[in-house]
Amino acid sequence: MPEEPSAATDRGALGLPDLRLDQLLEELQSRLDAARGTRDRVHSLLEAVLTVGRELDLDQALQQIVESAVSLVDARYGALGVIGDDGMLAKFLTTGMTPEQVERIGPFPTGHGILGELIRHPEPLRLRDIAEHVASVGFPANHPPMHSFLGVPIRVRGEVFGNLYLTEKRGGGQFDAEDESVLQTLAVAAGVAIDNARLYREARLRERWLTASGEITSRLLSGASEHDVLAELVQASLGLVEADLGVIALALPTAAGAELAVQLAEGVGAEEHRGLLLPLEGTFMGAAFTAQAPVTSNDVANDVRITAGPPRWQGLGAAVAVPMGSGPKGPRGVLMLARRAGLYPFAAADVAPLKSFADQAALALELAARRSDAEQLALLEDHDRIARDLHDLAIQRIFATGMTLQSAQRFITHPQAADRVGRAVEDLDETVKIIRTSIFGLRSRASAQESAGLRARLVDVVSRFIPTFGFTPSLRLEGLLDTDVSAEIAEDVLAVVEEALSNASRHAAAKAVEVSAKVTGGTAPEVVVTVTDNGVGLPEGGRRSGLVNLAERAAKNGGTLETETPAGGGTRLVWRVPVLTEP
């Protein structure tokens, strides 16, 4: 008889299906969890795409993209780098670090190391440890430690706009192929969102440029002062391109060609620029004037092209200078804008409308000048007509009346009547003299108005010393020099500057000279002339005849002359007298 199965065999036979069922249930649960996780991730991806696509503000869209990327791949840190026109990073947005951490790290990266690797090779890059890659150059001081890395490019209309950088997978894990796929999908959606936001921004910006340009033109042509309109132009430019410093310099003809006289400066460090007279060579704005094209710099404080003028770029980084108009005689002037150090540089999208805006302003200035010339010509023609009428009509009739009275005087027998007629003839003769003086004043006013003002004459004086020094002295002009300084004091100011420059050229052996002339405000305005050089200083016991002359010029006008040695050596001369305006 066959053996009956044992109890152990029965239990084993009965437990096998139970074991397989448990495994199948666990496998099913695992797959359900995976499907649920995939569903949740797809849902999160779709949510991120919709969120990014709804944002029309470009900066907000970029920040939303990097924050969505960090959430989707469960990274601790994320960044989005925008590639500039020079192939380096022009903008860098981060998430995962506090503002204090970002400030301690310092300026944003420009595109070296691993970040530059993704710029040079715009393909997805996944690393277990950043330090192991040959392109790694390490982290700056105060940078948090980072190991795992995932980067993908963002393309807009087929061109690489920038890159997404994700680091430090949470939980100490590694980024996998699924993370890479999700991030690539987000990058595609981000490209569309960026394109939409950029087009929207350009349209809004173009509208704002057109509005500002129309307002500037309207203000100029309506008779507003040139200074007020230039101030509005600078303020509008600062707001439209998000700059921190705005400067306008107008071309000033000189015997040597032309120089740039700073008419207006607003914003960070504006005091260092106001009143400067800058040569075309060795200056940032001079480069734009000479090239008659926009000039940009990513770090104007250390730009090798800037070799002339006093130090004035501290704390500034990106800058752009655009000529105002163009033509055979060159631009009318230059508009310069700068941002604080560490901010993103000016892109082509900023420069193109700025150049058009500056050209429009230059055209409006030219039209306003032509209108002013036409009004002046009409006024002078009116003066000439009045003078001619006075001469041909009034004087002749008065003269004839006087002759008639004088001839009739011999027929008057009454002594008092004869005396009165005689006095009347004398009064008529005096009236003729007064009218002739008025005629002379009307006809000579044109030539008086055409005479050069104090500003232009100071420029000529300084320009004459350029060959002697071998460099261009710095000239800063401030205040109402042409209107508030009397003719007599203006001559003294010119003499003081010429004497000081002559002394510096002959005795100081200076490598730099700064000249400043300004009219102070307040209830007791003064004209102050300062000439500073970095030469050998005033010798002990040397001849002081030139300084004595300058002191006498100051004393006769109720002013003073002071000489001192600046902190860096050399000589500083300060000549000041009260302002005496002509009636």
Side-chain angles (χ1 to χ4, degrees), residues 43-94:
H43 183 271
S44 299
L45 178 60
L46 291 174
E47 182 77 20
V49 169
L50 291 174
T51 302
V52 168
R54 283 194 295 263
E55 188 59 65
L56 285 177
D57 181 84
L58 182 57
D59 290 337
Q60 291 294 331
L62 296 178
Q63 190 65 42
Q64 186 63 53
I65 289 167
V66 67
E67 291 176 0
S68 297
V70 166
S71 176
L72 285 172
V73 300
D74 203 21
R76 182 179 298 275
Y77 305 108
L80 191 156
V82 179
I83 301 174
D85 298 331
D86 57 355
M88 304 301 284
L89 293 179
K91 185 181 291 189
F92 198 74
L93 296 91
T94 64

Side-chain angles (χ1 to χ4, degrees), residues 185-336:
T185 304
L186 178 65
V188 172
V192 176
I194 289 170
D195 191 34
N196 290 337
R198 193 162 60 176
L199 290 173
Y200 177 76
R201 180 179 185 177
E202 289 176 0
R204 290 292 303 274
L205 193 59
R206 190 180 302 112
E207 180 184 355
R208 293 174 63 192
W209 277 119
L210 289 173
T211 301
S213 181
E215 290 176 353
I216 294 298
T217 303
S218 175
R219 289 275 289 150
L220 275 170
L221 298 182
S222 65
S225 71
E226 183 176 293
H227 183 275
D228 291 343
V229 175
L230 290 178
E232 291 181 16
L233 189 151
V234 170
Q235 290 295 340
S237 301
L238 288 172
L240 288 169
V241 300
E242 299 175 353
D244 298 297
L245 170 67
V247 178
I248 284 184
L250 298 184
L252 188 64
T254 65
E259 291 183 322
L260 294 174
V262 175
Q263 301 294 314
L264 198 72
E266 296 292 339
V268 177
E271 287 294 334
E272 304 299 325
H273 295 263
R274 288 179 185 146
L276 284 179
L277 183 70
L278 301 172
L280 300 184
E281 186 176 352
T283 60
F284 187 60
M285 287 189 287
F289 184 93
T290 303
Q292 296 195 32
V295 174
T296 59
S297 174
N298 291 346
D299 186 7
V300 70
N302 299 298
D303 198 307
V304 296
R305 292 171 293 187
I306 302 175
T307 58
R312 56 194 182 279
W313 303 105
Q314 186 176 3
L316 297 171
V320 59
V322 295
M324 298 173 62
S326 60
K329 296 182 180 180
R332 187 176 181 85
V334 177
L335 169 63
M336 190 277 294

Side-chain angles (χ1 to χ4, degrees), residues 243-420:
D244 298 297
L245 170 67
V247 178
I248 284 184
L250 298 184
L252 188 64
T254 65
E259 291 183 322
L260 294 174
V262 175
Q263 301 294 314
L264 198 72
E266 296 292 339
V268 177
E271 287 294 334
E272 304 299 325
H273 295 263
R274 288 179 185 146
L276 284 179
L277 183 70
L278 301 172
L280 300 184
E281 186 176 352
T283 60
F284 187 60
M285 287 189 287
F289 184 93
T290 303
Q292 296 195 32
V295 174
T296 59
S297 174
N298 291 346
D299 186 7
V300 70
N302 299 298
D303 198 307
V304 296
R305 292 171 293 187
I306 302 175
T307 58
R312 56 194 182 279
W313 303 105
Q314 186 176 3
L316 297 171
V320 59
V322 295
M324 298 173 62
S326 60
K329 296 182 180 180
R332 187 176 181 85
V334 177
L335 169 63
M336 190 277 294
L337 300 170
R339 291 174 176 145
R340 296 178 188 269
L343 297 181
Y344 46 91
F346 290 92
D350 298 318
V351 177
L354 182 62
K355 177 66 171 68
S356 299
F357 183 55
D359 287 342
Q360 182 89 4
L363 179 60
L365 286 172
E366 190 67 25
L367 290 174
R370 292 288 179 267
R371 184 204 62 201
S372 177
D373 290 343
E375 291 175 351
Q376 187 67 24
L377 181 61
L379 180 63
L380 294 177
E381 289 177 347
D382 199 39
H383 285 177
D384 190 60
R385 180 189 59 78
I386 294 172
R388 186 171 58 251
D389 291 345
L390 286 174
H391 181 273
D392 296 343
L393 301 176
I395 287 183
Q396 298 303 326
R397 297 188 69 172
I398 293 173
F399 185 76
T401 302
M403 292 292 291
T404 301
L405 290 174
Q406 195 172 20
S407 63
Q409 189 176 15
R410 63 178 179 269
F411 298 110
I412 301 175
T413 57
H414 194 284
Q416 292 183 344
D419 184 59
R420 287 184 180 183

Side-chain angles (χ1 to χ4, degrees), residues 88-89 109-117 119-120 135 137:
M88 304 301 284
L89 293 179
T110 56
H112 300 285
I114 295 297
L115 305 186
E117 181 71 15
I119 295 174
R120 292 185 293 272
V137 294

Side-chain angles (χ1 to χ4, degrees), residues 145-201:
M146 296 181 180
H147 300 283
S148 55
F149 175 87
L150 175 59
V152 298
I154 298 176
R155 288 180 168 84
V156 177
R157 299 194 180 191
E159 295 184 0
V160 178
F161 173 84
N163 295 303
L164 275 172
Y165 308 105
L166 287 304
T167 62
E168 287 298 284
K169 180 82 170 180
R170 292 186 184 275
Q174 298 294 317
F175 296 108
D176 55 24
E178 187 176 344
D179 293 327
E180 182 179 317
S181 178
V182 168
L183 202 58
Q184 283 185 284
T185 304
L186 178 65
V188 172
V192 176
I194 289 170
D195 191 34
N196 290 337
R198 193 162 60 176
L199 290 173
Y200 177 76
R201 180 179 185 177

